[in-house]
Amino acid sequence: MKKSTLRRTLSATAAAGGTAALMMAGLAGASAHVSADPNKTAANSYALLTFGIPHGCDTFGTTKVAISLPEELTDAQPTVNPNWTVEKVTETLAEPKKLDNGTTITKRTSQIVYTAKAPLDPHLRDALVLSVKLPDAAGKTLYFPTLQTCEQGQTDWSEIPKEGQDEHELKAPAPAVTITPAEAEGDHHAAGTVSTEQASSVTDDGSQARSWAGLVAGIAGLGLGGAAFFRGRSAKTAAAKVDAK
């Protein structure tokens, strides 16, 4: 094989490898924030919100996660996680509030606090799940400012984008859920039938899964290309030996 052909082959292989590395870096960056992943977003429905804790504070493990509820919500039911203890923090309302079912409340749950039984390794992730009743407010985005406390230091995930601002420009954006139009029919309590296994896992919007699939395909392509290269080289070597006889 000519040296120029060999250089082109090696350059193509290196470029493909570099693309795979960039894809890996992009996937790591995409999951760098504490985020809320709802299994439902329909107005006036019950939803499970999964708060993913992707890392600690630099090299220090997470010891506590305090999730503040937006004023539109009056309560949240935390899902048990064996690695954490959990408590509700309540506040007294400035004036009584009448709910859709006709009852009147004077207090509401303002915060859910998870405390780790042992610091969460900064290189591992966990998921904390809340069940909430979404308000009848299609198009509105609810923000859940979350304070992550570590063995040393803390991160306050509470930044809310201003009008017209891209949330990706924020260093520590608050987890958010945007409410969609109400379902025409159906049981609004369906969220309660989701399995424990599903509730305790961190789900993705599908884009990350597609990225992983593309990465695997790219790596497979590299393997096939390399195999073809060496088969071709072996065949030419054998042919040259035959001609030389």
Side-chain angles (χ1 to χ4, degrees):
M1 178 180 288
K2 295 181 179 180
K3 290 184 178 181
S4 59
T5 303
L6 177 59
R7 283 197 298 269
R8 287 197 297 271
T9 301
L10 293 177
S11 297
T13 302
T19 300
L22 289 174
M23 290 173 64
M24 286 291 289
L27 289 176
S31 60
H33 301 312
V34 172
S35 59
D37 185 13
N39 74 322
K40 298 180 73 175
T41 57
N44 203 35
S45 68
Y46 285 87
L48 290 174
L49 308 183
T50 299
F51 292 79
I53 313 300
H55 56 71
C57 307
D58 293 326
T59 59
F60 300 101
T62 301
T63 58
K64 182 180 294 186
V65 177
I67 305 170
S68 296
L69 303 184
E71 61 181 10
E72 290 84 358
L73 302 182
T74 58
D75 194 18
Q77 183 178 15
T79 300
V80 173
N81 184 314
N83 300 319
W84 307 72
T85 60
V86 61
E87 65 175 328
K88 291 185 178 183
V89 177
T90 60
E91 68 175 4
T92 301
L93 300 175
E95 56 184 40
K97 180 178 181 178
K98 189 172 184 179
L99 303 181
D100 294 338
N101 60 11
T103 61
T104 299
I105 61 173
T106 58
K107 294 183 179 181
R108 80 173 190 108
T109 301
S110 61
Q111 196 175 64
I112 303 294
V113 180
Y114 279 91
T115 302
K117 295 179 180 179
L120 174 64
D121 189 307
H123 301 104
L124 301 179
R125 64 181 293 126
D126 207 341
L128 308 175
V129 184
L130 303 181
S131 174
V132 301
K133 170 71 178 299
L134 298 177
D136 190 6
K140 186 175 183 61
T141 299
L142 303 181
Y143 293 95
F144 297 78
T146 300
L147 181 62
Q148 178 185 13
T149 301
C150 300
E151 295 169 291
Q152 289 188 32
Q154 58 183 205
T155 302
D156 189 6
W157 303 95
S158 62
E159 292 183 293
I160 297 175
K162 298 178 182 178
E163 186 174 356
Q165 183 180 18
D166 187 345
E167 66 176 16
H168 296 294
E169 299 175 0
L170 304 177
K171 292 183 178 180
V177 173
T178 298
I179 301 175
T180 56
E183 300 172 345
E185 293 181 359
D187 182 7
H188 290 166
H189 294 271
T193 65
V194 178
S195 68
T196 302
E197 180 178 357
Q198 177 180 351
S200 62
S201 65
V202 179
T203 57
D204 299 309
D205 60 2
S207 60
Q208 187 165 337
R210 289 191 295 272
S211 297
W212 276 112
L215 175 59
V216 172
I219 294 175
L222 285 177
L224 291 174
F229 165 69
F230 286 110
R231 283 199 303 273
R233 184 177 180 183
S234 299
K236 288 190 176 182
T237 300
K241 289 181 179 179
V242 171
D243 293 340
K245 291 180 178 181

